[in-house]
Amino acid sequence: MKRLFVLTMALFLVVGLIGCSGQKEKKEDNGIKVIPKPPKQELSVVSIDKLHGGHAHDISPDGQTLLFSWDMGQPASDKMAPATLLHTMNLADGSVKKLSHSEIHQGSARYSPDGKNIAFVENEKTFFQTYVMENKPDAPKKLIHKSDEIANFNSISWSPDGQTFAVSYFLINKGRIVLYDAQGNEKQSFQQPDGIAICPQFLDNHTLFYVAVDRANNTLKVMAQDVTASTNKPKELVAGANFEVSPDKRSLAYLVNDGDHSQWKMKVNAIDSNLKVGSTLTETSVKDSLAQMAWSPDSRYLLFGDGSNIWVINPKNGDKKQLVSEIGMIYNLFWINAEEIIFTGVAKEAEGKGDYNFNTYRIKLK
């Protein structure tokens, strides 16, 4: 890590500072004295523990509850796998409650910012439909969209004020994003003119980011749409996919390829309040377009899963550290807080034995 130096203006001022701080000064040839700033301790792993079987989808706004889908340990039949239903886990004591009932799979679930509602999808085979329900066990679930259009997996995003959530849908090579109120009533929709729109993510209450997929031209672009003015055309930000905006809204992480999709990189660029994309802060190679990303709550670190490994990178200085290895099919990375991470995956040891059941793990850091 680069050493940081604080330059003082004069000798007597430096002496005063040393008397207060107790740090040892360093004398340079030009007579200016420098007080070295100690390097900050980078993250390190304390423990990695299996929390539960199943697939993690979200963490409650208060950071106390995990929302996940689980097949309750039922064996698969010859015709199909058992239904995976929504459950919650109290992260303090590990207690688990079934949230909803269904005979088909439930997933892509997201808490509203106030924690009162949950939007999710149910699917039979490949047909995903969208529902919303109150955040309590056995609450009635409301089907809010049923048509030939299919909800994309991981396609739900809530606005920060909790008044709106967005869902992306597609039909063959056409797609659109639909906005709903908190009760699941449709407010408006945006048609993607060429191809489909996936991965919606609210930047604020009026700006929605998403990825435009043009299959005819084989291109991926991160776009921004002002949802308060439906006549406005979306703004292209970068050529890329699978993006994440930092909580402080100053950095945009995304994946980009070399044109033939054989080589992928994860890049982090600065952005400003006018959505102008600035310089590249850091970049690193990743295995493919499936790399998962998650920003730490303080926007200092970017977590990403690449192949069977999980890494954390500090975009400001490019320092990268491996946290986890030997995990197959890494999905859905979340920060519970600045020192705890949750992810879903299949352990390589289990995968080698033909066990492809997903499990959810917690990483504790220091």
Side-chain angles (χ1 to χ4, degrees):
M1 179 181 292
K2 296 181 179 178
R3 294 177 62 88
L4 302 178
F5 296 90
V6 179
L7 299 180
T8 60
M9 297 178 63
L11 174 59
F12 72 90
L13 187 57
V14 173
V15 172
L17 288 172
I18 294 172
C20 294
S21 66
Q23 293 181 329
K24 186 177 180 180
E25 67 181 37
K26 180 180 179 181
K27 187 173 182 180
E28 303 292 345
D29 293 339
N30 59 9
I32 298 177
K33 296 182 179 180
V34 182
I35 303 173
K37 188 175 180 179
K40 291 184 178 180
Q41 180 69 35
E42 293 295 339
L43 297 177
S44 59
V45 175
V46 175
S47 63
I48 303 176
D49 301 304
K50 177 182 172 182
L51 280 178
H52 206 279
H55 195 132
H57 295 294
D58 204 1
I59 305 295
S60 61
D62 61 10
Q64 297 180 8
T65 306
L66 169 68
L67 179 61
F68 69 106
S69 55
W70 178 44
D71 63 7
M72 296 166 287
Q74 299 180 33
S77 66
D78 294 336
K79 294 183 178 180
M80 61 183 300
T84 55
L85 306 182
L86 293 181
H87 290 71
T88 59
M89 170 184 279
N90 184 312
L91 292 171
D93 61 20
S95 59
V96 172
K97 295 180 180 179
K98 185 163 66 172
L99 190 65
S100 180
H101 297 270
S102 179
E103 295 181 356
I104 55 180
H105 303 288
Q106 299 176 324
S108 296
R110 295 289 184 271
Y111 283 109
S112 60
D114 60 9
K116 294 181 179 180
N117 295 298
I118 295 173
F120 62 99
V121 301
E122 288 192 358
N123 83 295
E124 186 173 3
K125 298 181 179 178
T126 59
F127 297 96
F128 292 84
Q129 303 295 346
T130 313
Y131 292 78
V132 67
M133 64 179 290
E134 289 186 71
N135 178 23
K136 58 183 181 181
D138 300 323
K141 57 186 181 182
K142 178 182 178 181
L143 174 63
I144 65 173
H145 184 92
K146 186 172 179 61
S147 72
D148 291 337
E149 291 178 307
I150 301 171
N152 290 293
F153 196 68
N154 287 337
S155 62
I156 298 172
S157 175
W158 287 86
S159 60
D161 63 6
Q163 298 301 307
T164 307
F165 65 92
V167 185
S168 62
Y169 298 95
F170 72 95
L171 179 62
I172 308 177
N173 286 326
K174 296 293 182 181
R176 65 181 181 135
I177 294 176
V178 180
L179 304 184
Y180 302 91
D181 64 20
Q183 290 71 45
N185 302 305
E186 184 172 335
K187 298 170 66 174
Q188 61 184 125
S189 66
F190 301 94
Q191 190 76 34
Q192 176 63 25
D194 300 308
I196 63 176
I198 61 174
C199 304
Q201 185 179 134
F202 276 98
L203 177 71
D204 48 41
N205 292 324
H206 59 82
T207 307
L208 185 70
F209 283 11
Y210 65 93
V211 174
V213 182
D214 188 339
R215 290 177 175 172
N217 297 318
N218 201 29
T219 60
L220 298 165
K221 299 176 182 178
V222 180
M223 311 291 288
Q225 173 74 55
D226 183 349
V227 299
T228 62
S230 59
T231 57
N232 286 357
K233 292 184 178 180
K235 177 181 179 180
E236 180 182 338
L237 299 178
V238 293
N242 199 17
F243 65 93
E244 288 291 335
V245 182
S246 61
D248 64 8
K249 303 177 186 177
R250 295 180 180 178
S251 302
L252 173 67
Y254 59 99
L255 303 182
V256 63
N257 64 73
D258 60 1
D260 64 2
H261 292 219
S262 63
Q263 298 291 327
W264 286 85
K265 289 183 178 180
M266 183 187 72
K267 298 181 70 173
V268 180
N269 282 60
I271 56 174
D272 64 19
S273 58
N274 295 318
L275 303 185
K276 182 180 179 180
V277 179
S279 60
T280 298
L281 303 177
T282 192
E283 65 178 62
T284 186
S285 296
V286 294
K287 183 179 179 181
D288 52 38
S289 63
L290 299 178
Q292 303 289 306
M293 297 178 289
W295 285 95
S296 61
D298 60 5
S299 300
R300 184 181 176 194
Y301 295 105
L302 180 63
L303 188 72
F304 67 99
D306 182 29
S308 61
N309 307 306
I310 296 177
W311 303 80
V312 65
I313 190 168
N314 184 334
K316 290 187 176 180
N317 57 26
D319 284 353
K320 186 173 76 169
K321 184 172 185 177
Q322 185 175 2
L323 301 181
V324 177
S325 63
E326 298 303 310
I327 293 289
M329 296 183 286
I330 296 169
Y331 288 92
N332 290 4
L333 302 169
F334 303 102
W335 293 79
I336 304 176
N337 51 53
E339 296 182 344
E340 291 182 288
I341 293 165
I342 279 181
F343 71 95
T344 294
V346 177
K348 281 288 187 180
E349 182 179 353
E351 190 177 26
K353 298 177 181 178
D355 180 1
Y356 295 95
N357 290 321
F358 286 104
N359 292 298
T360 295
Y361 301 85
R362 173 162 52 188
I363 306 173
K364 291 187 177 180
L365 307 169
K366 66 176 181 179

